[in-house]
Amino acid sequence: MIRNVVLAKLVNGYDADEVTAIQDGLRNLQTPGTVRYTIGTDAGLRDGNWDFVIVADFEDVAAYRAYDDDAAHNALRARLAPFVDQIARAQFEIADS
């Protein structure tokens, strides 16, 4: 299984309603091979945290690559881009649980 983790720091004054709509769109993606998909805004429990997070599990590398290439996913990613100051990503293999 492949876990994808994405963290984003958003620009000051970003459009919160648009970011929420983008999150809803991402949550509703139906890409084959997606096992689990969690997305949200930081709860503000510590100073310095990043603002936006995605944690997604995929059956295998092929499923992750299909998600990464998915047209609807890329359209949402393009909508988010103007609000992103910094982004960090990592994909790693995890044991099935």
Side-chain angles (χ1 to χ4, degrees), residues 5-88:
V5 178
V6 179
L7 295 166
K9 283 193 184 254
L10 302 177
V11 297
N12 289 331
Y14 68 87
D15 183 336
D17 290 338
E18 176 65 1
V19 169
T20 297
I22 293 164
Q23 288 176 327
D24 289 343
L26 289 166
R27 235 179 244 108
N28 291 317
L29 287 174
Q30 300 291 321
T31 56
T34 302
V35 175
R36 194 173 307 106
Y37 197 89
T38 307
I39 186 168
T41 301
D42 181 64
L45 303 177
R46 293 194 58 181
D47 288 340
N49 284 0
W50 290 51
D51 302 299
F52 183 101
V53 64
I54 298 169
V55 178
D57 294 340
F58 300 94
E59 290 175 351
D60 52 27
V61 171
Y64 166 75
R65 292 204 187 283
Y67 159 80
D68 195 43
D69 291 338
D70 181 77
H73 171 234
N74 284 309
L76 290 162
R77 193 165 23 193
R79 281 175 56 192
L80 182 64
F83 306 117
V84 174
D85 181 44
Q86 296 179 58
I87 197 154

